Amino acid sequence: MRMIGKRKRTRTGAGGAAPRERGRLRAVLSAATTALLTATALAALPQTTAHAADTLGAAATEKGRYFGAAVAANHLGETQYAATLDREFTSVTAENEMKWDALEPSRGSFTFTRADQIFDHARSRGMDVRGHTLVWHSQLPGWVSGLGASDLRSAMNHHITEVMTHYKGEIHSWDVVNEAFQDGGSGARRSSPFQDRLGDGFIEEAFRTARAADPAAKLCYNDYNTDGVNAKSNAVYAMVRDFKSRGVPIDCVGFQSHFNPNSPVPSDYRANLQRFADLGVDVQITELDIEGSGQAQATDYGNVVRACLAVTRCTGITVWGIPDKYSWRSSGTPLLFDDNYDKKPAYDAVLNALGGTPGNGDPGDPGDPGDPDAACTATYTTAEQWSGGYNGKVTITAGSAPIRSWSVDVTMTPPQKVVSVWNGSPTWDGSGTVMTVRSSWNGSLAAGASTSFGFTVNGGDTPSPQVGACTAS
């Protein structure tokens, strides 16, 4: 049994909830700004040799994807766990802390303490957060199962609204409904309190409620054993196609992708991802783990990553845990790091598939890794400044040749701390003072063209951060 904190929500009105303070931070700071200070630009020297990204998150970012991990709050105090998370990943999913029994153990009484611990850790380090999960037949508190149809509908919609409002504007994707279809060849819906009392329409209603609660979040349906074309995936496909045809708000489909020697990566994995993407939704690999070891496991991991990269609308990959010892299938050693946090061959295979090892590409192509013409400069200015903090801006300018991606190190002086980053994907070193920001959607620049990223700092307004050399590829 998990121990759950007892912090009550701040209310804004009947049935309402205050959004996360971090979601309003920039707006509040802007309103409170009393002076606009432009600092002297610090131009970095151009980088004349390019290198491939050397972490999972950085390499995925250069491919326009996120690379995430499922995280348990009770492990965040472990130094190696937190350091590996902060170094390697750009997205976080709570393993259990955002499920119904953790957030609303008693009807109408919400406790976000453990979920907020994960959320705050991730956002303070510039990582995105996936929400998992709002409506699921499992890990329900006992009070839900005893409700009649009318009460259950009200409770479901209230739970979705309260949870999504708490994190409004801060969760990039939500698993709105999880595992609603049966295994086997029937393609039928799974028996659950929601299905049995509300009927097939509960999924549509959940998605419509979710859209109203947070219009900015991507709304996903998530399931397992749907990785290849089979009766279960066909049933999910038919539902998504129907939703899209009728304007039901669904933005993405999650594929859990739990594999083992008896249930390997299917040969039509990529084709299956593509057929869902062709419906006009994003696809995400949401809970990846592959039991095995050595080269066989590494090959499977590499194939999964390459399948995602081959599908334009495959937006990211999440592995279900960090070291093997904390996996829900630990005896099968299914993850990328062993019990000592050493990188396994599967890690190298994933990094290589993401293009994150040196020597990839044709050095004769402008902008490819190894091209000496791939260069950029970085200049820093302080935008808004207030007592105790400021907004910083770094402008990236391509050199004499076009580039496909860029990265810049930004070093902070304690107690200053970056609390949010935009237009870039950050990772942190073990000390927490050096932030490496890599391009996200804005990596491709024509020769001489510019883009920028920004960040908010709390903990003092001087000295200015040190901005290192810009690295291009």
Side-chain angles (χ1 to χ4, degrees):
M1 178 181 295
R2 293 189 303 281
M3 300 300 294
I4 301 174
K6 296 289 185 182
R7 181 166 65 83
K8 290 200 73 175
R9 288 289 309 283
T10 302
R11 303 280 175 174
T12 57
R20 295 284 302 151
E21 290 299 321
R22 196 177 309 284
R24 302 198 305 259
L25 180 60
R26 256 185 281 168
V28 171
L29 293 176
S30 178
T33 298
T34 59
L36 186 66
L37 177 66
T38 301
T40 301
L42 303 175
L45 294 175
Q47 178 72 31
T48 57
T49 58
H51 68 274
D54 57 2
T55 67
L56 302 172
T61 295
E62 292 189 353
K63 297 294 187 180
R65 273 77 172 173
Y66 65 82
F67 203 95
V71 172
N74 63 324
H75 297 319
L76 287 174
E78 183 180 333
T79 300
Q80 283 184 291
Y81 186 95
T84 305
L85 170 65
D86 296 350
R87 183 187 70 242
E88 295 288 344
F89 299 98
T90 56
S91 178
V92 162
T93 302
E95 286 190 11
N96 294 294
E97 291 81 354
M98 290 188 181
K99 292 172 181 173
W100 197 320
D101 62 346
L103 293 183
E104 193 184 3
S106 300
R107 186 170 186 178
S109 179
F110 290 82
T111 177
F112 291 89
T113 304
R114 304 281 276 179
D116 284 353
Q117 183 182 354
I118 293 173
F119 175 90
D120 291 340
H121 180 98
R123 298 301 289 143
S124 70
R125 288 154 178 83
M127 289 182 271
D128 292 328
V129 180
R130 286 195 85 255
H132 177 80
T133 175
L134 296 168
V135 180
W136 186 31
H137 68 276
S138 187
Q139 291 184 241
L140 284 172
W143 64 268
V144 175
S145 299
L147 299 178
S150 178
D151 262 358
L152 182 61
R153 173 172 283 107
S154 176
M156 180 186 77
N157 290 329
H158 182 66
H159 181 82
I160 293 169
T161 300
E162 286 285 300
V163 174
M164 292 188 71
T165 300
H166 183 77
Y167 297 108
K168 188 171 184 177
E170 296 283 357
I171 300 286
H172 70 76
S173 305
W174 270 105
D175 292 331
V176 178
V177 177
N178 196 51
E179 301 176 4
F181 288 83
Q182 292 182 10
D183 288 326
S186 69
R189 302 287 181 93
R190 177 193 295 274
S191 176
S192 72
F194 307 103
Q195 180 66 38
D196 298 346
R197 293 176 197 141
L198 305 181
D200 289 352
F202 88 88
I203 301 179
E204 177 177 340
E205 184 167 355
F207 274 85
R208 292 191 183 278
T209 301
R211 176 66 88 226
D214 187 355
K218 296 276 190 179
L219 308 181
C220 306
Y221 176 79
N222 189 56
D223 216 325
Y224 68 96
N225 285 350
T226 55
D227 306 292
V229 178
N230 55 40
K232 187 174 183 180
S233 67
N234 284 342
V236 175
Y237 180 89
M239 180 190 72
V240 175
R241 182 177 57 191
D242 172 60
F243 280 10
K244 295 297 289 185
S245 71
R246 294 190 295 109
V248 179
I250 184 168
D251 305 305
C252 44
V253 176
F255 298 82
Q256 294 185 16
S257 298
H258 298 295
F259 299 124
N260 60 54
N262 295 320
S263 180
V265 182
S267 60
D268 56 359
Y269 185 64
R270 171 182 167 182
N272 190 49
L273 296 178
Q274 185 64 62
R275 71 165 178 155
F276 277 88
D278 290 343
L279 291 175
V281 293
D282 292 342
V283 293
Q284 300 174 359
I285 299 171
T286 55
E287 303 182 21
L288 177 63
D289 52 20
I290 304 177
E291 291 186 325
S293 62
Q295 189 55 48
Q297 183 185 48
T299 298
D300 284 345
Y301 261 107
N303 287 340
V304 168
V305 172
R306 281 186 285 272
C308 177
L309 294 178
V311 177
T312 302
R313 295 197 69 153
C314 183
T315 57
I317 298 170
T318 299
V319 289
W320 203 250
I322 300 175
D324 284 332
K325 64 183 177 181
Y326 295 143
S327 169
W328 68 297
R329 329 160 74 184
S330 58
S331 62
T333 62
L335 297 172
L336 302 178
F337 297 88
D338 67 18
D339 292 353
N340 297 314
Y341 295 92
D342 290 329
K343 299 169 183 176
K344 296 164 58 177
Y347 173 97
D348 295 331
V350 169
L351 190 60
N352 183 65
L354 290 169
T357 52
N360 288 327
D362 178 359
D365 289 341
D368 275 351
D371 181 1
D373 292 331
C376 57
T377 58
T379 59
Y380 171 78
T381 56
T382 297
E384 297 82 24
Q385 188 174 18
W386 55 92
S387 177
Y390 58 91
N391 286 334
K393 176 182 178 182
V394 176
T395 300
I396 307 297
T397 303
S400 60
I403 63 174
R404 297 186 308 189
S405 63
W406 49 261
S407 67
V408 178
D409 287 343
V410 180
T411 302
M412 310 304 302
T413 301
Q416 292 185 37
K417 184 177 181 181
V418 175
V419 295
S420 64
V421 178
W422 53 96
N423 295 344
S425 296
T427 55
W428 292 86
D429 72 344
S431 71
T433 60
V434 180
M435 172 178 69
T436 300
V437 181
R438 295 176 171 87
S439 52
S440 53
W441 55 268
N442 54 353
S444 296
L445 295 175
S450 296
T451 188
S452 65
F453 67 89
F455 50 93
T456 297
V457 176
N458 282 347
D461 51 20
T462 58
S464 298
Q466 298 177 8
V467 177
C470 184
T471 300
S473 62

